[in-house]
Amino acid sequence: MFKNVIVRTPCPAVINGITSAPELGKPNYEKALRQHEAYIEALKKCGVTVTVLPADDDFPDSCFVEDAAVITRCGTVITNPGASSRKGEQDRILPTIRSFFPEESIARIESPGTLEGGDVMMVGDRFYVGRSARTNAEGIRQFKAILAGWGLKGIEVPLKKVLHLKTGVNYIEQGNLLVSGEFIENPLFSDFHKILIPEEEAYAANCIWVNGTVIVPEGYPAVRQAIEKAGYPVLTVDTSEFRKIDGGLSCLSLRF
Ligand code: CIR
């Protein structure tokens, strides 16, 4: 169960967030703010306390707090983002992490290692970590060593096409895994009960489990139906403005 969630209000510069899909246009700032508020409301409905950090205009992508830290039941890993415009976001999240956890439980990924939290998927005490354009071999080596020191396990997943591991695969507890595209046939995930995400709804592979409920992006009926069929109550949140800059539901929060 999660008690707490950390989010950061999108900043005006969010319209210049990194994107692989410029054809979708730039986010509308006012709309992004409203969608972010609705996201917070959905989280609150799941019974968590939400800490809302102020907008940070130095970093266009700073609302995607998931990438700056990985919080486990044993300790927190402050990451080292691989994208140049995101380097430094980890230092902005650190004071908040310190307000929740003792210093000795906080570790860091150091250069030349890079790692972004969107590449890390928690399955109990196992942490699948994508080797991506943002997370390199040295970052994964450091991450696994930190986890091992806490009695946790890291498992590397090579990525082919997607930005982050959780762009394409997400664990929603009870053995259930949302899987899309390149991950469907990956033997690393053969022991899960797979819920297959159709290609035309691939964006909705990024859903989050929060205390029994699954939050699903609005506008992806096949995914919503499949998750309901698996027995979960579902809440939907419109994330259209974040999608324009490759952001999804998981990227927008740290849950612990
Ligand atoms: C980026 O490219 O870094 C942002 N525009 C999107 C980050 C999405 N984060 C995530 O999947 N965890």
Side-chain angles (χ1 to χ4, degrees):
M1 295 291 272
F2 297 127
K3 284 200 189 95
N4 285 291
V5 171
I6 299 170
V7 301
R8 187 184 290 284
T9 303
C11 59
V14 74
I15 60 166
N16 298 318
I18 308 169
T19 184
S20 65
E23 69 278 7
L24 297 179
K26 282 182 186 284
N28 173 294
Y29 183 54
E30 293 304 320
K31 208 170 162 189
L33 283 179
R34 284 199 300 276
Q35 292 181 349
H36 197 256
E37 280 161 17
Y39 178 68
I40 292 170
E41 286 317 305
L43 288 166
K44 286 183 179 165
K45 281 189 193 153
C46 300
V48 292
T49 302
V50 183
T51 300
V52 185
L53 304 180
D56 181 350
D57 218 30
D58 293 341
F59 295 97
D61 287 298
S62 52
C63 59
F64 302 120
V65 284
E66 174 180 71
D67 293 316
V70 177
I71 305 180
T72 77
R73 66 175 182 81
C74 304
T76 299
V77 181
I78 300 294
T79 68
N80 190 24
S84 54
S85 67
R86 305 200 60 185
K87 288 187 187 298
E89 284 183 33
Q90 72 275 27
D91 297 317
R92 305 285 169 101
I93 202 87
L94 184 55
T96 310
I97 298 297
R98 285 187 169 138
S99 73
F100 281 99
F101 302 108
E103 195 60 35
E104 60 274 16
S105 71
I106 302 174
R108 298 190 71 132
I109 302 295
E110 307 284 358
S111 294
T114 65
L115 186 131
E116 294 188 1
D119 275 319
V120 178
M121 178 174 78
M122 178 175 77
V123 179
D125 282 353
R126 276 178 295 151
F127 292 78
Y128 291 84
V129 50
R131 182 159 166 184
S132 69
R134 304 289 182 85
T135 296
N136 65 17
E138 171 59 14
I140 294 176
R141 190 196 63 74
Q142 292 178 25
F143 184 62
K144 280 176 151 181
I146 294 164
L147 291 177
W150 293 337
L152 306 173
K153 189 173 162 56
I155 302 161
E156 179 173 331
V157 187
L159 304 192
K160 295 184 196 118
K161 290 187 191 152
V162 291
L163 171 64
H164 286 125
L165 176 66
K166 282 186 292 189
T167 309
V169 57
N170 283 269
Y171 187 55
I172 55 169
E173 304 296 325
Q174 295 170 292
N176 293 317
L177 193 70
L178 304 176
V179 273
S180 69
E182 64 185 80
F183 302 107
I184 294 174
E185 300 298 335
N186 190 323
L188 282 173
F189 303 119
S190 56
D191 288 344
F192 290 90
H193 175 254
K194 291 186 220 168
I195 298 176
L196 302 187
I197 305 295
E199 200 49 50
E200 61 282 8
E201 293 195 12
Y203 172 76
N206 187 257
C207 294
I208 50 173
W209 176 97
V210 188
N211 299 341
T213 296
V214 178
I215 307 181
V216 178
E218 203 166 291
Y220 301 88
V223 173
R224 181 193 175 135
Q225 228 176 41
I227 294 172
E228 282 174 340
K229 205 171 148 223
Y232 296 92
V234 163
L235 290 174
T236 60
V237 175
D238 190 356
T239 52
S240 65
E241 302 315 293
F242 301 103
R243 180 178 175 226
K244 292 174 182 171
I245 49 170
D246 299 334
L249 287 164
S250 79
C251 332
L252 288 167
S253 62
L254 286 165
R255 307 162 294 279
F256 56 102

